[in-house]
Amino acid sequence: MLTVIFGDCENVIYNTSLYFKNSYEPELPYSVDEIYGIHVSGKYAGLRQVYHEFYHIYEMEESIVVYDDRYKEGVFAFTDRCFRELGKAFEPEGRHSFYNDIGKEFESFWCLLSGGGVIGTVALRRLDGATAELKALYLAEEYRGRGLGYRLLDTAVSAARRAGYGRVVLDSMSGYTAALRLYGNYGFRRTERFNDNQHADVFMEIIL
C-alpha cells in the first residue's frame, strides 16, 4: 500500500489511502512510502493524472460525516471521554448545554467515525460575516499520529473558505502543545484575544 497526499484545485491537502489497480508502478518524485503535506503543483501536478490512471480508491476505514441526531449519543460519550482525559468535566446539562442543540449552536459540525463509532469531532461557529471560529476539535488518543487531526482541521477550514469567510480563529491553552503544533503546521498564527474565555490563553487565526 502507498499513501499519497493529493490536494483539490485549491491545493487543500487530503490523506487518501490508495491501492495499486494493476502491476504498473509509476515513477514518483519521492522515495518515501508516505508523502505528507505536499502541495502538488508545477512539474509534480501530473501526479493527479497518475492518481486517476493507475490507482483504485477504496473507502478508508475512518470517514468524516456531517453531524445529525443519529450521532448525538456517540458525540456525548466521546466528548465526555475527551474532557475527562483533559481533566475537565463535560456538563451537557450545565455550561455545555449547547451540545443539546448542535444544529443551532454551530454553523457546521462533523464527526470522524471508525467502525460506526465517533472517534473525532470538529465544528465551525459563525462570529460575524468575515470570521468563523474553530470549535470542538477532538480526536481519540489511540488514533493520533495518523493525520486524522489534520483531516478534521482541514475539513473545517476548507468549509469556511467555501462559505466565503475571510479568516478562521480559535482559542486554546498553552499546555495543549500537540494541538498548538497542529494549528501552527497548518498555518494558524497567534493573534489578539477575541473572546472572554478565561480558560484560554492562546488565540490564533488563519487568513483564508
Side-chain angles (χ1 to χ4, degrees), residues 62-138:
E62 296 85 17
S63 58
I64 297 175
V65 300
V66 175
Y67 172 86
D68 64 44
D69 285 342
R70 291 175 295 171
Y71 305 115
K72 182 175 181 179
E73 183 177 346
V75 167
F76 273 45
F78 170 74
T79 305
D80 179 67
R81 171 191 169 184
C82 290
F83 276 39
R84 284 188 283 106
E85 289 175 351
L86 293 170
K88 303 189 296 184
F90 178 51
E91 302 173 7
E93 303 305 321
R95 62 194 183 103
H96 303 121
S97 60
F98 54 82
Y99 270 88
N100 289 294
D101 196 351
I102 285 175
K104 180 180 179 180
E105 177 68 21
F106 300 100
E107 180 163 328
S108 302
F109 194 104
W110 297 269
C111 301
L112 177 63
L113 306 179
S114 180
V118 177
I119 63 166
T121 60
V122 69
L124 284 177
R125 174 187 287 158
R126 174 188 170 91
L127 292 188
D128 56 47
T131 306
E133 183 181 6
L134 184 78
K135 301 296 292 183
L137 179 54
Y138 299 108

